[in-house]
């Protein structure tokens, strides 16, 4: 057997909104593996009339002619349980993503032999826990052993870092792709790569630029012929395709002419033709607000990292949309330096994913490169908060690991019981930045029991969060007084959802004949856990007298707001409270108090 036959790669996959790429490490260097002879696989899935599933260029080619049998930009929906239509059947975003990954897997298998393959898959830095889990799940459904989910800018910087090991630099990674924008500050020092700060926008990219052009053209078409292309899905798909072609041409030329012989048909069956010109300056005007948003996020990220543009030694461009000259000009203006493109903008993320895969597999042990990353969100637990009235309100949020903390990291905080004689505490874990947990995403919960029975506030527990580079969060809690403790690991929704769901998805994406009826759609198991209401058992139910006290106090506070706030809202809340009190129903009065309290909080914000 030669070396090639023995070679079993750990693959790096850039699962992009528009295109996906796969790379491996060969002879100590990352390289992109062509799929169907092209490094870029359009992230498009098409079900042909004979039931065959097409992925990539063939699917993209069918997008214009048969949009109802084709799905594109699925990455925008990953993490949700929205079902998408494909040839009359409905699929979860995980399943569609898995179809793309299966296509990649088949090609990798054809090159390197069948069997499971370890993979590192990239996601935008801004993806939340659920989007990461669903991406991982899609990889597993496709038959990959997903070793790690890493941030795209980290991956890009890794690709960059490998060839500049001796440098000591602060690098900005500006990644503007088809569907998402990510911006990160990365520090490279003596071979250690650390993402210092990172922000992003989940729905901003080349697709939006195309849409701005389409909007302009739809208006022009109505003016020219009275035909409303917005109501015709095929016409829209055609225009979108032409808009992307025109946009790309404008990265080279100052203006383009567009001639579409048949955009659609009028009601009386006449073809609608469309001819127009688009200048680069007009295109730049259309997208200027979107580009300005990327620059605002860029400035914020520098602030988060505590640096100024002068501290930045290089700006690395990633993503197809950074080919737009205006993007480069804006960066030049902001940083007073020419952005660097020495790592291929389309390939940097996949190459970096392969580097990560290589570090993982040992293929790059000699490289001397170590990676750290940052937590993309704060993570913490639900707590009861003292209210202005002296009581406690559940549903507050106490972050334990702050957003942008360098990971891996371990943080511990102390918490206290809120009820006399309380011997157990439910630890509800959330991620997000909102002050109250209802604005954040719930990740899971664990209960610690066996606490010493003491008056409220006198028994403490320590809660420790350990967040790893894999995105795994280990939660542990301990009561120092009794030694009672619990642990929980939050890494993969699959381990907590049924194995059946995985099997079902595998079957659904592998069979050529999709059996699922629209009516069966409800049967698809939701992959995400439902967000559960906050567990209020921690707290004693207040007595009726206490509630009445609260009602009186709140009514006074509300009345004091009449002058500065909307007095109609105040009147309604006061009336609501009075009626609830008259009803003598505890639940009703509590709900009315909550409403009034929330309103007051809003006014104070
Ligand atoms: P990515 O998600 O990185 O694959 O980027 C894909 C996006 O880049 C799509 O919206 C493409 O239309 C866009 N793109 C690719 N090449 C160019 C170009 N030369 N000029 C402008 N946009 C481009």
């Amino acid at each position: 057997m030669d070396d090639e036959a023995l070679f079993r790669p750990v693959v790096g996959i850039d699962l992009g909104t528009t295109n996906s790429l796969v790379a491996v490490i060969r002879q100590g260097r990352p390289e992109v593996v062509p799929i169907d002879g092209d490094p870029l696989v359009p992230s498009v899935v098409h079900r042909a009339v004979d039931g065959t599933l097409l992925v990539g260029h063939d699917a993209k080619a069918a997008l214009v002619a048969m949009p109802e049998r084709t799905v594109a930009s699925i990455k925008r929906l990953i993490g949700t349980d929205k079902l998408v239509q494909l040839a009359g059947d409905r699929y979860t975003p995980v399943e569609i993503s898995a179809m793309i990954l299966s296509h990649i897997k088949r090609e990798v298998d054809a090159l390197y032999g069948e069997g499971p393959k370890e993979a590192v898959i990239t996601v935008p830095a801004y993806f939340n826990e659920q989007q990461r889990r669903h991406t991982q799940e899609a990889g597993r459904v496709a038959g990959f052993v997903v070793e790690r989910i890493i941030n795209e800018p980290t991956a890009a910087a890794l690709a960059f870092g490998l060839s500049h090991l001796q440098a000591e630099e602060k690098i900005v990674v500006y990644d503007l792709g088809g569907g998402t924008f990510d911006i990160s500050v990365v520090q490279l020092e003596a071979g250690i790569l650390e993402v210092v700060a990172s922000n992003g926008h989940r729905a901003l990219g080349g697709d939006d630029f195309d849409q701005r052009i389409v909007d302009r053209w739809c208006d022009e078409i109505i003016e020219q012929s009275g035909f409303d292309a917005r109501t015709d899905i095929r016409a829209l798909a055609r225009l979108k395709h032409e808009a992307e072609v025109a946009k790309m041409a404008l990265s080279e030329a100052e203006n383009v002419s567009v001639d579409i012989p048949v955009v659609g048909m009028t009601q009386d069956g006449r073809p609608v033709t469309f001819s127009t010109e688009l200048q680069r300056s007009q295109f730049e005007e259309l997208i200027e607000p979107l580009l300005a948003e990327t620059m605002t996020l860029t400035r914020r990220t520098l602030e988060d990292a505590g640096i100024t543009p002068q501290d930045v030694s290089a700006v690395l461009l990633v993503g197809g949309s950074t080919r737009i000259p205006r993007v480069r000009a804006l960066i030049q203006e902001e940083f007073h330096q020419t952005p660097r493109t020495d790592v291929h903008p389309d390939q940097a993320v996949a190459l970096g994913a392969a580097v990560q895969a290589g570090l993982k597999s040992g293929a790059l042990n000699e490289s001397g490169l170590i990676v750290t990353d940052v937590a993309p969100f704060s993570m913490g637990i639900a707590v009861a908060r003292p209210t202005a009235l002296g009581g406690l309100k559940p549903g507050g949020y106490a972050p334990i690991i702050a957003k942008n903390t360098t990971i891996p990291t371990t943080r511990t905080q102390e918490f206290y019981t809120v009820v006399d004689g309380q011997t157990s505490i439910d630890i509800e874990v959330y991620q997000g930045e909102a002050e109250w947990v209802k604005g954040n995403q719930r990740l899971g919960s664990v209960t610690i029991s066996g606490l010493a029975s003491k008056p409220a506030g006198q028994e403490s527990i320590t809660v420790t969060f350990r967040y790893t580079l894999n995105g795994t969060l280990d939660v542990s809690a301990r009561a120092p007084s009794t030694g009672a403790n619990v642990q929980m690991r939050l890494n993969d929704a699959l381990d907590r959802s049924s194995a059946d769901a995985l099997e079902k998805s595998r079957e659904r994406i592998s069979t050529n004949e999709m059996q699922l009826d629209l009516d069966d759609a409800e049967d698809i198991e939701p992959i995400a856990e439902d967000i559960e209401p906050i567990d209020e058992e921690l707290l004693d139910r207040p007595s009726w007298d206490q509630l009445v006290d609260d009602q009186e106090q709140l009514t006074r506070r509300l009345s004091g707001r009449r002058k500065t706030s909307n007095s109609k809202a105040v009147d309604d809340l006061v009336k609501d409270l009075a009626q609830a009190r008259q009803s003598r129903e505890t639940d009703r009065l509590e709900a009315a108090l909550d409403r009034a309290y929330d309103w007051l909080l809003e006014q104070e914000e």
Side-chain angles (χ1 to χ4, degrees), residues 170-174 183 312-317 331 335 337-342:
K170 286 199 177 59
I171 302 164
V172 166
V173 182
Y174 179 102
I183 178 83
V312 174
S313 53
V315 183
L316 179 63
L317 294 188
I331 289 171
F335 292 93
Q337 61 175 287
T338 310
R340 289 169 67 162
T341 49
D342 45 331

Side-chain angles (χ1 to χ4, degrees), residues 230-242:
R230 290 189 177 90
T231 60
D232 182 335
I233 170 172
R234 276 164 208 248
L236 278 179
R238 203 163 290 145
L239 287 172
K240 191 146 173 55
H241 172 73
E242 294 294 338

Side-chain angles (χ1 to χ4, degrees), residues 14 16-19 21 40 175-179 205-207 210 244 247-249 251-252 318-324 345-346:
D14 168 8
T17 308
T18 323
N19 295 301
L21 290 91
L40 298 180
D175 179 354
L176 188 59
D207 288 352
D210 302 344
E244 188 181 12
K247 171 188 76 176
M248 285 165 132
S251 290
E252 307 295 328
V318 180
S321 299
T322 58
R323 291 209 173 83
I324 296 171
D346 293 328

